[in-house]
Amino acid sequence: NAGVTQTPKFQVLKTGQSMTLQCAQDMNHNSMYWYRQDPGMGLRLIYYSASEGTTDKGEVPNGYNVSRLNKREFSLRLESAAPSQTSVYFCASSEGLAGGELFFGEGSRLTVL
Amino acid sequence: DAKTTQPPSMDCAEGRAANLPCNHSTISGNEYVYWYRQIHSQGPQYIIHGLKNNETNEMASLIITEDRKSSTLILPHATLRDTAVYYCIVGRLFNAGGTSYGKLTFGQGTILTVHP
């Protein structure tokens, strides 16, 4: 039982390059989330998916797109990376009436040069 | 969602109780109080949550004042491994597609340092 798995764990990009962060959960959760955390800051919600087939913007969606591929997988795409997107990205999932109990992955550390 | 106020840092001696305060004076009736912690740079870990009543689990206790404007997370016997950033979050559940979910906002939290 791996919980929430994120890939890659580390990535360095050049400005303008694109990439996709992958997230998968094996807990059969309906809801999934993408957060970013900048140094010394709390986490900010980028996008979320309340259930399979739906996605919605969070607090800081600009520059990102998401895909809820199936119930298990929720990917985050940077179409044209910018240095301001240098951050640690966390994926999380939750289920039902325990919707506030988020299970987080270990994070993906992205540097944009 | 209501905002929270936490002290930026706290210290605690190993083996003693750690009491972490949180103010949430604008909390609404349908908003829960959640506590998470983040050890080093790992993903945040859920600790406990409550609506009105005090709650206890294997990790901690949550004490919510009667007016719900503040709460305290209690780690009864802190260990060095409890050194982390602790986040107090107030949020409500949303309903969509037959399921409930939460859009939680993490502030800067309290850095708890447990020392020998």
Side-chain angles (χ1 to χ4, degrees), chain A residues 30-31 33 35 37 40 42-43 48 50 90 96-97 99-102 104-105 109, chain B residues 34 36 38 41-44 46 49 87 93 99-104 106-108:
Chain A
N30 274 308
S31 304
Y33 315 79
Y35 283 87
Q37 184 174 33
L43 281 74
Y48 64 97
F90 290 100
L97 291 179
E101 297 179 40
L102 274 58
F104 283 85
R109 286 149 181 79
Chain B
Y34 295 92
Y36 282 76
Q38 188 173 25
S41 298
Q42 299 175 15
Y46 165 82
H49 77 280
Y87 298 100
L93 294 181
T99 191
S100 299
Y101 63 96
K103 292 188 295 181
L104 303 185
F106 289 72
Q108 297 198 18

Side-chain angles (χ1 to χ4, degrees), chain A residues 4-75:
Chain A
V4 178
T5 303
Q6 295 181 229
T7 55
K9 290 185 170 47
F10 300 93
Q11 184 72 50
V12 179
L13 291 177
K14 295 181 180 179
T15 297
Q17 288 185 319
S18 62
M19 77 158 298
T20 299
L21 299 177
Q22 306 285 356
C23 175
Q25 52 92 8
D26 62 3
M27 296 172 283
N28 201 36
H29 286 173
N30 274 308
S31 304
M32 298 185 73
Y33 315 79
W34 275 106
Y35 283 87
R36 62 176 287 176
Q37 184 174 33
D38 300 323
M41 304 290 288
L43 281 74
R44 292 184 291 172
L45 183 62
I46 305 171
Y47 270 94
Y48 64 97
S49 172
S51 59
E52 186 179 357
T54 70
T55 61
D56 284 287
K57 297 178 180 179
E59 181 184 357
V60 288
N62 291 343
Y64 305 96
N65 285 303
V66 290
S67 295
R68 184 73 183 267
L69 304 172
N70 47 55
K71 191 172 185 179
R72 289 187 64 249
E73 300 173 288
F74 188 38
S75 63

Side-chain angles (χ1 to χ4, degrees), chain B residues 1-70:
Chain B
D1 289 345
K3 291 186 176 180
T4 63
T5 303
Q6 299 178 253
S9 63
M10 294 183 64
D11 288 333
C12 178
E14 188 177 22
R16 304 296 294 269
N19 297 281
L20 290 85
C22 180
N23 287 322
H24 31 79
S25 58
T26 60
I27 191 170
S28 300
N30 61 351
E31 289 182 313
Y32 292 82
V33 179
Y34 295 92
W35 283 85
Y36 282 76
R37 73 180 182 183
Q38 188 173 25
I39 297 174
H40 195 47
S41 298
Q42 299 175 15
Q45 177 189 24
Y46 165 82
I47 300 173
I48 198 168
H49 77 280
L51 185 62
K52 297 179 181 178
N53 299 322
N54 298 337
E55 302 288 345
T56 295
N57 62 21
E58 64 278 4
M59 290 183 66
S61 294
L62 173 60
I63 308 298
I64 303 174
T65 58
E66 192 168 345
D67 63 8
R68 302 186 71 234
K69 294 184 177 181
S70 66

